[in-house]
Amino acid sequence: MGKQPNLFSFELKKLTKLLRQYIVKIQHESFARYKDDKDKVFKVGVSGGSLPKILAQALLAPSEGPDDVIEFEKWEIFFADERAVKLDHEDSNYRLLKEELLNKIQDKQPKVHTIDESLLDNTGELAAEYAEQLVSVFARRDSVKTPTFDLLLLGCGPDGHTCSLFPGHDLLRETENWVYPIEDSPKPPARRITLSLPVVNHAHRICFVATGAGKKEVLSSVFEGGVHGDEAKGLPIALINEAAGDRVSWFVYEEAVQGVRYPRRGSL
């Protein structure tokens, strides 16, 4: 058996501080892969839900020293999934990230890759265009089979979904494309696009942020079998845990894993 995912659980203030430390660490690891400083870029994918608010609390906190610096100007941000709505619509993940984080960044802004609003009537074209944006960043010089994000920052639904990959959905079996359209999301709005499961699993690091006691049952199932252990094996978050192993780190409020016996980590 491979190495297991990392689980961190604390109250909010300590959790956001550790989350910041983790992101800074992964940012530095990413930059170290580049020979030339001017070429350095941190390729990040984010989802919506409660994540942007918690992310903002972590990333906008004052720096604690020269090794604790978020270099937003070197970030390229993609969306792990997005709703087929205008960018200023209340359901837009971009709007949520903009209001919670981007509008509050004091220094240079990251480069943000949004969907093409002119293609909202056709989710197939919307997904294809977004995939082309990934190609322009991840395959500038060479043909690559799967893009490799430096970090994916994801949420977790009470049903075990993440991105717009839902339990039992046909998209979980898709392996060819980087981005897929979805017309029948079990959670509204129904029309969306999402990164495919192979793309998620291929990231250098995957970070889940889960809050609230409402996640306790599904996290119990995923981490220690729980009352629905057999069912949990097919959940998107469980599939990612299994495929990515210790490349996955979970940052959760203690109440979300209360009673779960899976070992926690106290530090990075």
Side-chain angles (χ1 to χ4, degrees), residues 79 81-99 102-103 112-120 126 129-130 133 193:
F79 290 91
D81 66 324
E82 182 57 286
R83 290 81 181 277
V85 296
K86 292 283 188 179
L87 295 177
D88 61 356
H89 192 281
E90 62 181 6
D91 288 333
S92 167
N93 283 341
Y94 167 74
R95 173 179 166 172
L96 184 59
L97 187 70
K98 184 173 184 289
E99 291 178 346
L102 300 177
N103 285 348
V112 182
H113 295 265
T114 63
I115 58 172
D116 185 340
E117 291 180 301
S118 71
L119 302 175
L120 293 177
L126 191 69
E129 192 280 333
Y130 205 69
Q133 293 192 50
I193 64 170

Side-chain angles (χ1 to χ4, degrees), residues 2-134:
K3 294 183 179 180
Q4 299 300 298
N6 307 293
L7 176 61
F8 302 90
S9 65
F10 298 101
E11 50 84 25
L12 176 60
K13 186 175 182 180
K14 187 170 183 179
L15 188 71
T16 54
K17 182 176 181 178
L18 190 66
L19 178 60
R20 178 188 175 93
Q21 293 173 358
Y22 171 81
I23 293 172
V24 170
K25 178 177 181 287
I26 305 306
Q27 175 192 254
H28 290 333
E29 288 179 358
S30 171
F31 291 160
R33 288 192 283 270
Y34 291 87
K35 295 181 180 179
D36 195 326
D37 187 70
K38 68 180 179 61
D39 293 332
K40 290 180 179 179
V41 62
F42 188 39
K43 298 181 286 293
V44 182
V46 300
S47 59
S50 62
L51 175 65
K53 184 173 183 178
I54 299 170
L55 198 56
Q57 292 176 351
L59 298 182
L60 298 175
S63 171
E64 296 188 355
D67 294 328
D68 178 37
V69 178
I70 307 290
E71 298 185 56
F72 283 119
E73 71 275 13
K74 296 179 181 178
W75 285 39
E76 286 203 39
I77 297 178
F78 290 86
F79 290 91
D81 66 324
E82 182 57 286
R83 290 81 181 277
V85 296
K86 292 283 188 179
L87 295 177
D88 61 356
H89 192 281
E90 62 181 6
D91 288 333
S92 167
N93 283 341
Y94 167 74
R95 173 179 166 172
L96 184 59
L97 187 70
K98 184 173 184 289
E99 291 178 346
E100 295 288 352
L101 177 63
L102 300 177
N103 285 348
K104 301 172 184 177
I105 296 174
Q106 300 296 321
D107 300 318
K108 294 180 180 179
Q109 288 278 322
K111 182 174 182 178
V112 182
H113 295 265
T114 63
I115 58 172
D116 185 340
E117 291 180 301
S118 71
L119 302 175
L120 293 177
D121 290 338
N122 187 320
T123 55
E125 292 183 4
L126 191 69
E129 192 280 333
Y130 205 69
E132 284 301 315
Q133 293 192 50
L134 267 66

